[in-house]
mmCIF file of all heavy atoms in Angstrom:
data_model
loop_
_atom_site.group_PDB
_atom_site.id
_atom_site.type_symbol
_atom_site.label_atom_id
_atom_site.label_comp_id
_atom_site.label_asym_id
_atom_site.label_seq_id
_atom_site.Cartn_x
_atom_site.Cartn_y
_atom_site.Cartn_z
ATOM 1 N N ASN Y 1 -6.699 11.190 -5.171
ATOM 2 C CA ASN Y 1 -5.384 11.079 -4.548
ATOM 3 C C ASN Y 1 -4.357 10.703 -5.584
ATOM 4 O O ASN Y 1 -4.535 9.752 -6.330
ATOM 5 C CB ASN Y 1 -5.445 10.017 -3.463
ATOM 6 C CG ASN Y 1 -4.322 10.158 -2.475
ATOM 7 O OD1 ASN Y 1 -3.168 10.241 -2.828
ATOM 8 N ND2 ASN Y 1 -4.684 10.227 -1.187
ATOM 9 N N ASP Y 2 -3.273 11.489 -5.664
ATOM 10 C CA ASP Y 2 -2.258 11.235 -6.690
ATOM 11 C C ASP Y 2 -1.039 10.454 -6.166
ATOM 12 O O ASP Y 2 -0.101 10.229 -6.902
ATOM 13 C CB ASP Y 2 -1.791 12.578 -7.264
ATOM 14 C CG ASP Y 2 -2.845 13.236 -8.113
ATOM 15 O OD1 ASP Y 2 -3.581 12.509 -8.809
ATOM 16 O OD2 ASP Y 2 -2.919 14.479 -8.093
ATOM 17 N N ASP Y 3 -1.011 10.056 -4.909
ATOM 18 C CA ASP Y 3 0.138 9.330 -4.375
ATOM 19 C C ASP Y 3 -0.288 7.950 -3.851
ATOM 20 O O ASP Y 3 0.196 7.450 -2.840
ATOM 21 C CB ASP Y 3 0.824 10.100 -3.275
ATOM 22 C CG ASP Y 3 -0.108 10.438 -2.109
ATOM 23 O OD1 ASP Y 3 -1.304 10.142 -2.230
ATOM 24 O OD2 ASP Y 3 0.393 10.949 -1.102
ATOM 25 N N LEU Y 4 -1.174 7.297 -4.598
ATOM 26 C CA LEU Y 4 -1.642 5.976 -4.184
ATOM 27 C C LEU Y 4 -0.541 4.958 -4.121
ATOM 28 O O LEU Y 4 -0.494 4.109 -3.209
ATOM 29 C CB LEU Y 4 -2.745 5.501 -5.142
ATOM 30 C CG LEU Y 4 -4.093 6.228 -5.113
ATOM 31 C CD1 LEU Y 4 -5.047 5.600 -6.133
ATOM 32 C CD2 LEU Y 4 -4.698 6.195 -3.722
ATOM 33 N N LEU Y 5 0.402 5.007 -5.078
ATOM 34 C CA LEU Y 5 1.473 4.038 -5.055
ATOM 35 C C LEU Y 5 2.381 4.223 -3.845
ATOM 36 O O LEU Y 5 2.860 3.238 -3.251
ATOM 37 C CB LEU Y 5 2.296 4.129 -6.362
ATOM 38 C CG LEU Y 5 3.392 3.063 -6.529
ATOM 39 C CD1 LEU Y 5 2.831 1.643 -6.434
ATOM 40 C CD2 LEU Y 5 4.112 3.257 -7.882
ATOM 41 N N ASP Y 6 2.613 5.455 -3.459
ATOM 42 C CA ASP Y 6 3.398 5.720 -2.231
ATOM 43 C C ASP Y 6 2.720 5.127 -1.011
ATOM 44 O O ASP Y 6 3.378 4.503 -0.120
ATOM 45 C CB ASP Y 6 3.588 7.211 -2.029
ATOM 46 C CG ASP Y 6 4.510 7.841 -3.080
ATOM 47 O OD1 ASP Y 6 5.280 7.099 -3.682
ATOM 48 O OD2 ASP Y 6 4.411 9.054 -3.273
ATOM 49 N N ILE Y 7 1.390 5.237 -0.933
ATOM 50 C CA ILE Y 7 0.641 4.664 0.181
ATOM 51 C C ILE Y 7 0.782 3.144 0.175
ATOM 52 O O ILE Y 7 1.021 2.526 1.218
ATOM 53 C CB ILE Y 7 -0.840 5.074 0.083
ATOM 54 C CG1 ILE Y 7 -1.001 6.558 0.320
ATOM 55 C CG2 ILE Y 7 -1.672 4.279 1.109
ATOM 56 C CD1 ILE Y 7 -2.408 7.062 0.119
ATOM 57 N N CYS Y 8 0.655 2.547 -0.986
ATOM 58 C CA CYS Y 8 0.775 1.077 -1.107
ATOM 59 C C CYS Y 8 2.155 0.604 -0.655
ATOM 60 O O CYS Y 8 2.267 -0.357 0.137
ATOM 61 C CB CYS Y 8 0.522 0.626 -2.538
ATOM 62 S SG CYS Y 8 -1.175 0.830 -3.085
ATOM 63 N N ASN Y 9 3.195 1.281 -1.123
ATOM 64 C CA ASN Y 9 4.577 0.859 -0.756
ATOM 65 C C ASN Y 9 4.799 1.011 0.793
ATOM 66 O O ASN Y 9 5.457 0.165 1.402
ATOM 67 C CB ASN Y 9 5.601 1.699 -1.516
ATOM 68 C CG ASN Y 9 5.737 1.251 -2.959
ATOM 69 O OD1 ASN Y 9 5.695 0.052 -3.249
ATOM 70 N ND2 ASN Y 9 5.872 2.200 -3.869
ATOM 71 N N ARG Y 10 4.252 2.091 1.331
ATOM 72 C CA ARG Y 10 4.423 2.329 2.770
ATOM 73 C C ARG Y 10 3.723 1.206 3.583
ATOM 74 O O ARG Y 10 4.247 0.721 4.582
ATOM 75 C CB ARG Y 10 3.856 3.670 3.138
ATOM 76 C CG ARG Y 10 4.167 4.073 4.581
ATOM 77 C CD ARG Y 10 3.853 5.514 4.865
ATOM 78 N NE ARG Y 10 2.443 5.786 4.905
ATOM 79 C CZ ARG Y 10 1.763 6.471 3.998
ATOM 80 N NH1 ARG Y 10 2.421 7.012 2.967
ATOM 81 N NH2 ARG Y 10 0.484 6.680 4.107
ATOM 82 N N LEU Y 11 2.549 0.796 3.147
ATOM 83 C CA LEU Y 11 1.814 -0.253 3.871
ATOM 84 C C LEU Y 11 2.444 -1.600 3.722
ATOM 85 O O LEU Y 11 2.381 -2.451 4.605
ATOM 86 C CB LEU Y 11 0.354 -0.286 3.429
ATOM 87 C CG LEU Y 11 -0.478 0.962 3.729
ATOM 88 C CD1 LEU Y 11 -1.912 0.780 3.284
ATOM 89 C CD2 LEU Y 11 -0.421 1.293 5.226
ATOM 90 N N VAL Y 12 3.074 -1.846 2.551
ATOM 91 C CA VAL Y 12 3.821 -3.093 2.388
ATOM 92 C C VAL Y 12 4.936 -3.176 3.393
ATOM 93 O O VAL Y 12 5.151 -4.202 4.068
ATOM 94 C CB VAL Y 12 4.362 -3.232 0.945
ATOM 95 C CG1 VAL Y 12 5.396 -4.341 0.832
ATOM 96 C CG2 VAL Y 12 3.219 -3.486 -0.050
ATOM 97 N N SER Y 13 5.726 -2.110 3.545
ATOM 98 C CA SER Y 13 6.810 -2.113 4.518
ATOM 99 C C SER Y 13 6.274 -2.272 5.939
ATOM 100 O O SER Y 13 6.836 -3.009 6.740
ATOM 101 C CB SER Y 13 7.581 -0.770 4.404
ATOM 102 O OG SER Y 13 8.155 -0.627 3.137
ATOM 103 N N LEU Y 14 5.160 -1.617 6.253
ATOM 104 C CA LEU Y 14 4.568 -1.746 7.571
ATOM 105 C C LEU Y 14 4.134 -3.178 7.843
ATOM 106 O O LEU Y 14 4.363 -3.714 8.962
ATOM 107 C CB LEU Y 14 3.375 -0.803 7.665
ATOM 108 C CG LEU Y 14 2.596 -0.831 9.021
ATOM 109 C CD1 LEU Y 14 3.504 -0.387 10.152
ATOM 110 C CD2 LEU Y 14 1.372 0.056 8.922
ATOM 111 N N GLY Y 15 3.511 -3.831 6.864
ATOM 112 C CA GLY Y 15 3.051 -5.201 7.063
ATOM 113 C C GLY Y 15 4.173 -6.169 7.308
ATOM 114 O O GLY Y 15 4.074 -7.069 8.131
ATOM 115 N N LEU Y 16 5.307 -5.995 6.612
ATOM 116 C CA LEU Y 16 6.455 -6.854 6.830
ATOM 117 C C LEU Y 16 7.044 -6.666 8.253
ATOM 118 O O LEU Y 16 7.403 -7.625 8.912
ATOM 119 C CB LEU Y 16 7.548 -6.591 5.788
ATOM 120 C CG LEU Y 16 7.186 -6.979 4.352
ATOM 121 C CD1 LEU Y 16 8.283 -6.534 3.391
ATOM 122 C CD2 LEU Y 16 6.936 -8.493 4.228
ATOM 123 N N GLN Y 17 7.032 -5.431 8.700
ATOM 124 C CA GLN Y 17 7.486 -5.135 10.065
ATOM 125 C C GLN Y 17 6.594 -5.790 11.109
ATOM 126 O O GLN Y 17 7.041 -6.183 12.171
ATOM 127 C CB GLN Y 17 7.532 -3.634 10.291
ATOM 128 C CG GLN Y 17 8.580 -2.895 9.433
ATOM 129 C CD GLN Y 17 8.449 -1.398 9.556
ATOM 130 O OE1 GLN Y 17 7.803 -0.872 10.469
ATOM 131 N NE2 GLN Y 17 9.081 -0.650 8.639
ATOM 132 N N MET Y 18 5.305 -5.929 10.798
ATOM 133 C CA MET Y 18 4.348 -6.492 11.731
ATOM 134 C C MET Y 18 4.298 -8.019 11.681
ATOM 135 O O MET Y 18 3.537 -8.641 12.428
ATOM 136 C CB MET Y 18 2.957 -5.930 11.449
ATOM 137 C CG MET Y 18 2.777 -4.476 11.743
ATOM 138 S SD MET Y 18 1.088 -3.941 11.435
ATOM 139 C CE MET Y 18 1.124 -2.231 11.999
ATOM 140 N N GLY Y 19 5.085 -8.626 10.794
ATOM 141 C CA GLY Y 19 5.155 -10.071 10.810
ATOM 142 C C GLY Y 19 4.584 -10.794 9.609
ATOM 143 O O GLY Y 19 4.496 -12.056 9.625
ATOM 144 N N ALA Y 20 4.144 -10.099 8.593
ATOM 145 C CA ALA Y 20 3.618 -10.755 7.397
ATOM 146 C C ALA Y 20 4.761 -11.447 6.635
ATOM 147 O O ALA Y 20 5.830 -10.867 6.505
ATOM 148 C CB ALA Y 20 2.938 -9.732 6.491
ATOM 149 N N ASP Y 21 4.507 -12.672 6.138
ATOM 150 C CA ASP Y 21 5.481 -13.308 5.255
ATOM 151 C C ASP Y 21 5.420 -12.664 3.879
ATOM 152 O O ASP Y 21 6.471 -12.410 3.256
ATOM 153 C CB ASP Y 21 5.168 -14.789 5.123
ATOM 154 C CG ASP Y 21 5.310 -15.539 6.433
ATOM 155 O OD1 ASP Y 21 6.096 -15.080 7.288
ATOM 156 O OD2 ASP Y 21 4.648 -16.567 6.616
ATOM 157 N N GLU Y 22 4.220 -12.437 3.387
ATOM 158 C CA GLU Y 22 4.014 -11.748 2.112
ATOM 159 C C GLU Y 22 2.837 -10.790 2.283
ATOM 160 O O GLU Y 22 1.893 -11.095 3.023
ATOM 161 C CB GLU Y 22 3.695 -12.749 0.991
ATOM 162 C CG GLU Y 22 4.831 -13.682 0.613
ATOM 163 C CD GLU Y 22 4.443 -14.569 -0.553
ATOM 164 O OE1 GLU Y 22 3.851 -15.620 -0.295
ATOM 165 O OE2 GLU Y 22 4.728 -14.201 -1.715
ATOM 166 N N ILE Y 23 2.862 -9.685 1.573
ATOM 167 C CA ILE Y 23 1.744 -8.729 1.670
ATOM 168 C C ILE Y 23 1.573 -8.033 0.322
ATOM 169 O O ILE Y 23 2.550 -7.730 -0.381
ATOM 170 C CB ILE Y 23 2.002 -7.710 2.808
ATOM 171 C CG1 ILE Y 23 0.861 -6.665 2.817
ATOM 172 C CG2 ILE Y 23 3.361 -7.027 2.652
ATOM 173 C CD1 ILE Y 23 0.892 -5.735 4.020
ATOM 174 N N GLU Y 24 0.307 -7.802 -0.004
ATOM 175 C CA GLU Y 24 -0.032 -7.073 -1.228
ATOM 176 C C GLU Y 24 -1.053 -6.037 -0.874
ATOM 177 O O GLU Y 24 -1.983 -6.243 -0.096
ATOM 178 C CB GLU Y 24 -0.632 -8.048 -2.243
ATOM 179 C CG GLU Y 24 -1.134 -7.358 -3.538
ATOM 180 C CD GLU Y 24 -1.823 -8.359 -4.460
ATOM 181 O OE1 GLU Y 24 -2.992 -8.691 -4.205
ATOM 182 O OE2 GLU Y 24 -1.140 -8.828 -5.397
ATOM 183 N N VAL Y 25 -0.858 -4.814 -1.428
ATOM 184 C CA VAL Y 25 -1.783 -3.699 -1.171
ATOM 185 C C VAL Y 25 -2.285 -3.137 -2.502
ATOM 186 O O VAL Y 25 -1.454 -2.814 -3.386
ATOM 187 C CB VAL Y 25 -1.079 -2.569 -0.372
ATOM 188 C CG1 VAL Y 25 -2.089 -1.459 -0.103
ATOM 189 C CG2 VAL Y 25 -0.533 -3.134 0.949
ATOM 190 N N PHE Y 26 -3.578 -3.065 -2.647
ATOM 191 C CA PHE Y 26 -4.205 -2.494 -3.835
ATOM 192 C C PHE Y 26 -4.996 -1.249 -3.435
ATOM 193 O O PHE Y 26 -5.692 -1.252 -2.429
ATOM 194 C CB PHE Y 26 -5.114 -3.497 -4.493
ATOM 195 C CG PHE Y 26 -5.936 -2.928 -5.635
ATOM 196 C CD1 PHE Y 26 -5.380 -2.737 -6.861
ATOM 197 C CD2 PHE Y 26 -7.269 -2.581 -5.435
ATOM 198 C CE1 PHE Y 26 -6.108 -2.202 -7.922
ATOM 199 C CE2 PHE Y 26 -8.019 -2.036 -6.484
ATOM 200 C CZ PHE Y 26 -7.422 -1.855 -7.718
ATOM 201 N N ALA Y 27 -4.850 -0.198 -4.243
ATOM 202 C CA ALA Y 27 -5.574 1.058 -3.928
ATOM 203 C C ALA Y 27 -6.243 1.581 -5.187
ATOM 204 O O ALA Y 27 -5.726 1.397 -6.313
ATOM 205 C CB ALA Y 27 -4.596 2.107 -3.376
ATOM 206 N N ALA Y 28 -7.374 2.216 -4.995
ATOM 207 C CA ALA Y 28 -8.087 2.826 -6.117
ATOM 208 C C ALA Y 28 -8.781 4.093 -5.660
ATOM 209 O O ALA Y 28 -9.253 4.196 -4.527
ATOM 210 C CB ALA Y 28 -9.109 1.864 -6.714
ATOM 211 N N SER Y 29 -8.830 5.052 -6.558
ATOM 212 C CA SER Y 29 -9.517 6.328 -6.277
ATOM 213 C C SER Y 29 -10.181 6.786 -7.575
ATOM 214 O O SER Y 29 -9.556 6.691 -8.661
ATOM 215 C CB SER Y 29 -8.520 7.356 -5.796
ATOM 216 O OG SER Y 29 -9.191 8.585 -5.496
ATOM 217 N N GLN Y 30 -11.432 7.257 -7.498
ATOM 218 C CA GLN Y 30 -12.112 7.637 -8.725
ATOM 219 C C GLN Y 30 -13.206 8.676 -8.462
ATOM 220 O O GLN Y 30 -13.672 8.850 -7.331
ATOM 221 C CB GLN Y 30 -12.764 6.403 -9.393
ATOM 222 C CG GLN Y 30 -13.947 5.823 -8.637
ATOM 223 C CD GLN Y 30 -14.583 4.683 -9.408
ATOM 224 O OE1 GLN Y 30 -13.903 3.866 -10.006
ATOM 225 N NE2 GLN Y 30 -15.894 4.592 -9.394
ATOM 226 N N LYS Y 31 -13.574 9.355 -9.518
ATOM 227 C CA LYS Y 31 -14.729 10.256 -9.499
ATOM 228 C C LYS Y 31 -15.706 9.753 -10.566
ATOM 229 O O LYS Y 31 -15.316 9.199 -11.600
ATOM 230 C CB LYS Y 31 -14.329 11.703 -9.767
ATOM 231 C CG LYS Y 31 -13.828 11.976 -11.208
ATOM 232 C CD LYS Y 31 -13.621 13.452 -11.439
ATOM 233 C CE LYS Y 31 -13.232 13.707 -12.899
ATOM 234 N NZ LYS Y 31 -13.049 15.156 -13.205
#
C-alpha cells in the first residue's frame, strides 16, 4: 500500500471526532 500516511491522517481525524484527547496511528506494509 502506497498511501499509508493518508490512512493514518484520516484515522487521527476520526479518533478526535470520536472523543480522543490524543491519538497516534502507526501503519506498516511489507513483502
Side-chain angles (χ1 to χ4, degrees):
N1 201 307
D2 289 325
D3 58 353
L4 290 180
L5 185 55
D6 291 339
I7 293 174
C8 291
N9 283 322
R10 188 170 72 249
L11 295 183
V12 166
S13 298
L14 178 63
L16 293 175
Q17 294 172 15
M18 292 181 176
D21 295 333
E22 294 183 274
I23 177 172
E24 176 185 79
V25 181
F26 172 78
S29 181
Q30 70 177 40
K31 68 173 184 178

